Amino acid sequence: MVDVSIAGRHGELPGHLATPAGAGPWPGVVVIHEAFGLTGDVRGIADRFAERGYLALAPDLFAWGKGRFACMRAAFQELSVGSGRMFDDLEAARGWLAGRADCTGRVGVIGFCMGGGFALLAAPRYGFGAASVNYGRVPSDAERVLAGACPMVASYGGRDRSLRGHAERLDGALTTLGVEHDVKVYPEAGHSFLNRNSGALAFVFSKLAGAGYHGPSADDAWDRILPFFDAHLRGAGGARAEGGEG
């Protein structure tokens, strides 16, 4: 597991690359961090995918900014308009992974909270083969935004007051569009239930928003996410996708 730097449209984009043991090529996964940035928890999620046999890249979308809060503000502004530097960086990350000799060319995307919102909006773009959206905000015009989306697995917490109704909106939009999907709400979980965050900011967030890791829900979500990615990203015989597209 190494730190890497890739060429993006706006300059160098650093990230954490987790490589499986043995010989490739492997399918790839872009792991999009929460508003807390590229934390040890996010690096661990990339490592988990590597253990499953995926070449996993967790880009640091906040590396260019001047302070975490400025980056968070910029990220949510981009999510509201659906474009910007961070979207460009995600496209660069997918292309970099897909173009590697040790990647099959099939690439999925997974995101959490803020990253879940980016993963959702990236699902119809950039040639991803599968997307995992975890407590990501769903736009009111979801059917328009998600037209042409790749297969999607999504998880939400029933106690997450900030995203009430979003799972149902997502499920309805994907059903109408005919996109293969698996959307589930965990009644006992709140926001950020898949993430093991630490530090003062995470502590305050958990107290104010009722957010935090919930083991039983997290375990069940992973039991859905990983097989879903296996089904959609592991091509016949692991053959390389033509042109590096997912």
Side-chain angles (χ1 to χ4, degrees), residues 122-217:
R125 315 177 187 183
Y126 314 138
F128 284 111
S132 176
V133 174
N134 301 289
Y135 27 92
R137 186 166 294 276
V138 181
S140 58
D141 55 346
E143 288 184 27
R144 180 188 66 81
V145 170
L146 293 174
C150 61
M152 188 181 302
V153 54
S155 302
Y156 290 82
R159 295 184 176 181
D160 185 353
R161 296 186 297 272
S162 68
L163 294 176
R164 283 179 178 166
H166 284 244
E168 293 77 11
R169 183 187 303 162
L170 178 59
D171 184 71
L174 295 175
T175 298
T176 299
L177 292 168
V179 175
E180 184 175 348
H181 63 283
D182 172 6
V183 179
K184 185 170 182 177
V185 176
Y186 291 93
E188 300 304 313
H191 195 76
S192 200
F193 69 87
L194 276 156
N195 299 105
R196 300 175 183 267
N197 290 309
S198 59
L201 185 59
F203 177 78
V204 171
F205 181 62
S206 68
K207 292 299 183 183
L208 293 178
Y213 183 76
H214 187 260
S217 301

Side-chain angles (χ1 to χ4, degrees), residues 30-113:
V30 175
V31 181
I32 312 176
H33 59 71
E34 297 177 288
F36 298 121
L38 183 54
T39 62
D41 176 66
V42 176
R43 291 173 183 267
I45 289 170
D47 294 347
R48 180 173 192 155
F49 272 104
E51 293 171 359
R52 182 81 173 194
Y54 290 90
L55 189 66
L57 174 65
D60 185 356
L61 300 182
F62 290 175
W64 58 272
K66 297 181 179 179
R68 177 181 294 170
F69 289 104
C71 290
M72 289 168 60
R73 183 169 59 251
F76 286 106
Q77 287 174 345
E78 288 193 17
L79 285 172
S80 68
V81 299
S83 63
R85 175 174 182 147
M86 296 181 199
F87 281 100
D88 294 340
D89 284 345
L90 290 176
E91 182 180 14
R94 193 214 66 85
W96 183 83
L97 266 184
R100 288 174 59 98
D102 54 359
C103 182
T104 64
R106 296 191 63 78
V107 180
V109 61
I110 184 171
F112 305 86
C113 185

